[in-house]
Amino acid sequence: MPLPSTDDKIPVFNNFLDRTENTRNHLFFRDGKRKVDYVLVYHYRRQTTESKPSGIQGLAVISNDRVHVHVDEKDTQGGKRDPERAVNLGLADPAEGEKKALREEFESNLLKAGLEIERDRENKAHGIGFIRLHAPWPVLSREAEFLRIKVPTKKSYKLKKETGVSHRLSMLWRQLNNPFQPRVPDLPSHSETKFLSHCFSRDKLHLYNISDKDTFFDNATRSRIVYEIVRRTSCTQSYQTMGITTLIAKGVYDSAFPLHDGALHSAGEKKKNDRQLLHDEWARYGVFYKYQPIDLIRKYFGEKIGLYFAWLGLYTQLLIPASVVGAIVFLYGCATLDSNVPSLEMCDERKNFTMCPLCDRVCDYWHLSSACSTARASHLFDNPATVFFAIFMSLWAAMFLELWKRRQMRLSYRWELAGLEEEEEHTRPKYESVLLRKRLQKRRNRKKNRNEPERKVEDGADGGQWRQRVLSAMGGAVQAGPEKLTWTDWMPGYIISFSSILLMFGLTFSAVFGVIIYRITTSALMSMSPYPETRNNVRVVVTSTAVIINLVVILILDEIYGTVAIWLTELEIPKTEGEFEERMILKAFLLKFMNAYAPIFYVAFFKGRFAGRPGNYVYVFHDFRMEECAPGGCLIELCIQLSIIMLGKQLIQNNIFEIGIPKLKKLYRTLKGDSSTPEERDNQSSREPQQWELDYNLEPFNSLTPEYMEMIIQFGFVSLFVASFPLAPLFALLNNVIEIRLDARKFVAELRRPDAMRAKDIGIWYNIISGMGKFSVIINAFVIAFTSDFIPRLAYQYMYSDTGTLHGFIDHTLAYFNVSDFKPGTAPSSSQYSVMICRYKDYREPPWSPEAYQLSKQYWAILAIRLGFVILFQNLVMFLSVLVDWLILDVPKDISEQLRKEKSLLVEVFLQEEKHKLQLIHSLFLRGPAGKAQDQSAQALRQTLQTGKSKSRCRAASFSLFSRQLSPVDGVKHTDV
C-alpha cells in the first residue's frame, strides 16, 4: 500500500514495535541485520489530527534512495483500525516548517553520502522523533581510508620474550599482581603475537584479516565514521557550510549520539557486552582495589577518554609513595614532639614571657605559655623532615611528568597512535553565524553601491557606466572569494575578555579582603566580650569560621567562573572546537587557580607581614588593627586553611555535586515525563523501551574539561603547599580512589555514550601540569624560608647559640617593648598585670638601644640566609629534575625496538607485494610465444581472480586496476623485448 502524500518526502515506520520482536537488545534496524551506528533526535509539533487506517503503519526503511514498505498483515486482515494519528495539515509555527525542511534536506544528503536511515512515524501531536543511521560496508571502507584508520594486517610477529633474572622477576610480579587485574577478555594488545597495523586501504583488502565485514570495525569506530559524515554533511538551504553541530545549535535537531552496547546489567546472557564488562569490572566501588581496564575503556569510549583515565590512574598510583612519605613525615613530627626544644620552652610556665596585647584597649597582656597547644601542633608540620618532603615532592612532580610521557608512549604504540595526524577540524556554529551575518552585510553594501551611480546624474554617461562596471567587478570578486573574519571582528571580544578576566581577579581579591575584614572585626568584637571563655577562644573561632566562609565563596565563584570562561571564549569567536577548548581551558584555569589559592597565598606570604609593631600598628578603616600570625607561626594556620579548603572542595564539589546534581536532574526528567497524557502513558507502558530511548534519557556528555580541572586543582594542593600539609597526598589518594569509580559509573551508566574521539596526548593539560610542577618548586622554597621557622632555628643553632642547640631560641626571637611607648588610647584600659616591658615576635632593637625598635642585624642576617636558601633549594631541585628527566627515557627501549622492527617488516611486506606484481606483469607480457603465452597467462589470471583460494589471488586483487586497463587488448600480439 503506498504511503500518503504527506509522508512521501520522508518515509517512516511505526515506533511501537511488538514486544515479541526483540532485535538483539534493540541495537539494530527492524530487519535485525543492520546495526544502528548513530542516532539523531528532534522535537516535532503538529496542529490537527485526522483518522487514518492502520494498514499504512508498517515499516519504511530509507536505504540509499530506495523505500521498502512493510505492511502489518494482521491489522489488514482483521480489519482493525488504529486510533487517530497526527498528520501534517498545518503547522502551528512557521519555524517548525523551516526546521522540517532543513531536516529533509539534511537527511537527503546523508542518503547521498551512502548512509541508511530508519525513522519513526510522527504519530502524536507533539513529541520526540528518533532517526537511526547505519553505515554499510562501502561507506565504512571509504571513510576508513579517508580518515586513515589503522587496522591490523595478516602479517604478525612474536614479541621478544624476557629471559634470565628479569623474566623471573616479571613472572613473580605478574603472579603477585594477578588479584588486582580486572577480569576482562584479553584484547589483542595483550597477546604475545603482534599483528602489524597499516592505514586501511580499499586497494589492499587482501592484507587484512576480514572474516566478517559487519564486525571488522568495532562499534566505536563505526560510530566515529558516521559522526564524521554527519558533521561534514552540508545543508545549503540555511547558508551553512557544515551539518549536525550547526543544526543542533539552531534547534533543528535536539541531539546526536551513538548508542551504548545494550543494557547495563546482563539478564541471563552468557556473554557480556563491553558495557556490562565495564560496569562489573570498572564502575563498581567493590573493585576499587583493581587496575582499570584501560584498553577496554579505549575500545568503548575512544582514545581521548582512554587517555584521561590512564592519566588519572597513573596519577593515583604515584600518590601512594607520596602518601607514605607524607605519613612518615607526620609521624616523625609526632615522635619528636616531646623532645622539641622550642615548643618545650613555649610551654614552660617558668619562663614567664609576658606578651604584648593582641588588640587595642580591651585586650590584656598574656603569657606565651597559653599558646602551648598551638606550638605543639605546629611542630607536627614544621620540623626538619618537612624540607626533605618538599624536595621529595618537587622531584615527585618531575617524575610524574616523565613517567606519564613513557606511559603515553606505550599507549600510543599499543593503540596505533604513533603516526596519527592532526585531523581537519570543522568550523563552529557560532563562527558560521558571524560569518553569515558579515556576508549578508557585504551583500547589502554591494547592492547599495551598485545603485549609487544611477542616483548621481552629474557623473556623466560614460563615467557612470565605467563606475558601474568596476563596482560589479568588485562585487563579483568579493562574492567569489572565501569569506573569513578579520582582526576587526575579533578585537572587541579580546578586549572584553581581557578586561573581564581582570575584573574577575579583582572580584577574587575583594572576596579575600572581605574575609580579612571579617576576621579583624570579629576578633575585635569577641575580645570585648565580658565572658572569659569567649575571649580565650577568639583565635580558634575566627580562624575556623573564616576558612568555612572562604570555602563557600570558592565553591560559588568556581561555578560562576566556569560559566564566565565559556561566555568570554564565545565572544572571541574561535573558528574550530579545538581552538575554543584550549582558550576556554586556559581562562577557566587562570580564574579557578586564583580563586582556589588566593586565600592560601594570603596566609602563607602576607598575613602578619604588614601588621606593624607595638606602638606603630597598621590599621584598616582607622580603627581595626591588621591581624597577626599565631604565636606558633603562620604555618599552622596555613595548614588549617589548606586542609579545610582541600577536603571541603573534594567532598562537596567533587563528590556531592557529581552525585547529587545528576540524581536531581534525573528525578526532574522523570517527573516531567510523567506529565504526559494517560493515553500516551498506556501506549508507552505496553511496549519495551528501545535502546535509543533509554540513552536519550541519560545526561548528554559535554567534555572532559571539568574532570581534568578538578584533578589539576587537586594537583596544585598536593604540590604547591605540601611543605605546610604533608598529609595532602594521602587525602588526595583517598579521594581519587572514589573519584575513579565515580567517574566510571557516570560514563557507563549516567551519560550518553560520547563520540569516539582520537587524540595523541592530553593536550594543553600537560603544559599546565608542567608549569605547576615548576611553580611548586618556587612556592615550597618560599614557604620553608619565610613562613616556617626552619631558617631562624637553623641560623640560631649555628650562629647565635652558645651551646650549639636550640635552647634559648624562643627568647632570641622575641623583641622587647616599653609599655610607656603605647600611643594614647591603645594601651589596655584595665590590666591584672603590672608590666613595664612586654615581648612580641620580631627581630628589632630593644627600647634602650640608640636605634630603638629598628630592624636588628639578626633580621638582615636571617633574611640573607632565607634568600640564599630559596636560591639553593631551587637550583638543587631543578638539577635533580633534569637528572630525573635524563634517567627516565621518554620512549621505552622495547617500544623503540618494536617500532623499528615493525617498520622494516612493513617495508618487506610491500616490497614483496610489488615483486609479485612485477612477476604477474612479466608472466602476462614477457613470456614464451606471444599468442599462446599471453592467452595462458590471461586465463591463469582469470582463474586466480575467480577462485580466491591461493596466494596469487591476493596478489592479483591489488593489481585489479592494471588488469582492468589491459583487458581490451587480449587479441593484440606483443613482441618480446
Side-chain angles (χ1 to χ4, degrees), residues 663-805:
K663 297 290 184 184
L664 294 176
K665 288 183 178 179
K666 188 174 182 180
L667 178 62
Y668 171 74
R669 288 196 305 271
T670 304
L671 296 176
K672 187 178 180 181
D674 291 341
S675 62
S676 56
T677 62
E679 292 81 4
E680 292 176 355
R681 288 200 298 267
D682 293 339
N683 290 332
Q684 292 174 359
S685 61
S686 64
R687 66 182 179 87
E688 186 177 353
Q690 307 299 309
Q691 186 63 45
W692 46 86
E693 295 173 334
L694 296 175
D695 286 3
Y696 179 72
N697 292 328
L698 300 176
E699 282 291 313
F701 171 77
N702 294 321
S703 69
L704 286 171
T705 301
E707 313 299 333
Y708 272 115
M709 190 68 68
E710 172 186 334
M711 290 296 107
I712 294 299
I713 296 298
Q714 184 201 85
F715 179 79
F717 285 123
V718 169
S719 59
L720 291 180
F721 298 95
V722 73
S724 63
F725 189 40
L727 295 180
L730 178 61
F731 288 109
L733 174 64
L734 297 177
N735 174 81
N736 287 7
V737 170
I738 301 174
E739 181 71 21
I740 289 177
R741 307 303 162 179
L742 181 64
D743 286 346
R745 176 159 185 84
K746 181 168 63 175
F747 274 87
V748 173
E750 298 176 2
L751 293 178
R752 297 173 192 165
R753 188 172 183 174
D755 295 306
M757 305 297 292
R758 304 206 83 187
K760 295 188 297 184
D761 48 40
I762 60 176
I764 194 175
W765 296 110
Y766 180 85
N767 299 329
I768 292 175
I769 298 170
S770 178
M772 290 186 69
K774 293 178 174 59
F775 189 52
S776 67
V777 177
I778 302 173
I779 295 300
N780 282 310
F782 275 93
V783 167
I784 294 173
F786 288 92
T787 308
S788 74
D789 284 338
F790 174 75
I791 298 300
R793 288 197 299 263
L794 199 66
Y796 174 79
Q797 185 174 359
Y798 293 100
M799 294 177 61
Y800 301 108
S801 176
D802 297 332
T803 60
T805 63

